[in-house]
Amino acid sequence: MKRRAGEREKELKKKKLLEELGENRLPYMTPADADFHQLWKTKYSKLIFRKSDTIPEELHQMVQEGFLTLRKHDCFFQDLVRIKGKDFVTPVSRILIGNPGCTYKYLNTRLFTVPWPTEGYDIKYCSPGVHDACKALIRLNDYLHIEAVKALQGQNLFETKEIKDSTVTDREQNFATSFTEKGSVSKDQSNCCVSEDDYISLKNRTSYNLTLLNYMDPLQMLYLKQEPYFGMGNMAVSWHHDENLLERSTVAVYSYSCEGSAVEESNEQKLKGRDPAVWHVGLKVAWDIETPGLAIPLHQGDFYLMLDDLNMTHQHCVLAGFSPRFSSTHRVADCSRGTLEYIFGQCELALQNLQTDSESMALSLKSLETAVVKQVEEIHNETSLVLSEVGKEEQIEEQRNETLSCFLLVLTERQKLRKEWTARCQSEAAESLPEDQKPECHPFWTDDECNMPLPYDLEEVIANLQNLVQSVE
């Protein structure tokens, strides 16, 4: 419900903003504009940009070969997402790679990681090339983690008091070195002038647990949406805040446009605004019509960092160039409820309320307390045992009514979610996907299964529950 309310609020803000603009367009700047760097410093200071020559050449080569290998093995897929109640297939193809068991959710779609090589896990890859690609990405992940720590440390020092650049650089280097050498919080950090709390905070906000890889060839796209506020041209990814992240965590993005496959820069000598042949990242202050936007060109091997709360206070988009492009977007995903470990734990918790008769082997529930029923059903351990238990004569009428009312609420919500998912599975966008990529309706079972749970369509069950509740009132 919170998500739907948030979507409505964003849509109203967008509508109001477009109404205020009318036929006009907001101003934006590129590096060619005289005030570009001043605007960046004053309004976008938490965006850190690094050119490709700051990254070791060996790392560039490993990562870029990894991109091409993953595409060669058909590892990139377009996602079926849901925006404002409608289903769409993304123009960008993606794959999620990261810590084993992690997931990432965006636009009502949850992706599961292809695990990168991790100590303690025996991970089987379909080919040595895919293994090497995943290994390269974790190397890039480690590099970007250190760069993010240094950048955040520099921001913290800059914001607290003025310090000479050389001092900042020395302290950044000491701080970053302590991360790589120790790998955990040191009790004695006086040498880099960082408190233990700050050390832990910075580590948590930069310890990327996954990367969402993107690929798109703009010349193969039949249609690309136009940027609506500034007139920046074709968008590969619309304006957005990144979702499902640890609060105030840093996002790092490495960009690789395949130069040589298309004109990398326009032949026109003077262009008004951004060069349409070159990929850019666009930034704007969220829901603001006063501050000019930024369009920053992205060349092969460049990377940028979105620090601290920039992802919350600002929005960003990706503006398409002419050439195919890969990107690796490293994130600290909020996995508190989105890992396989969590899901298995919840299943175990739900099963704790189940008992088996030693003689008849019949299943029954240990407790029908409202809190227990609510917890189990919210975990989504579906069985028909709740209904059979509350139907027993020995149940106290008051408790029965309370349990039925609780059960009715969670089943009604479940039915609503199932209808939405069924509609997504049958949508035109879903039907356009290859057969092995189409979504499926689950859970699925047959009528002859032992201990058959409730049916997929819960309308009849909900109607019976409503009648039961009314009969005891």
Side-chain angles (χ1 to χ4, degrees), residues 110-125:
R110 185 173 296 280
L111 306 180
F112 292 77
T113 57
V114 172
W116 46 34
T118 305
E119 187 176 351
Y121 289 85
D122 182 20
I123 301 166
K124 308 293 185 184
Y125 295 93

Side-chain angles (χ1 to χ4, degrees), residues 327-347:
S327 67
S328 183
T329 63
H330 298 250
R331 306 154 191 256
V332 187
D334 179 3
C335 290
S336 58
R337 295 170 60 91
T339 64
L340 290 175
E341 183 180 1
Y342 169 82
I343 294 167
F344 287 143
Q346 289 295 88
C347 291

Side-chain angles (χ1 to χ4, degrees), residues 11-26 225 227-230 287 289:
E11 190 59 28
L12 288 172
K13 286 181 178 179
K14 179 180 178 181
K15 183 179 178 181
K16 181 180 178 182
L17 187 58
L18 289 173
E19 286 176 351
E20 290 179 7
L21 285 176
E23 296 298 318
N24 300 318
R25 288 293 177 264
L26 295 171
K225 188 176 179 181
E227 193 284 310
Y229 304 116
F230 303 90
W287 315 118
I289 62 171

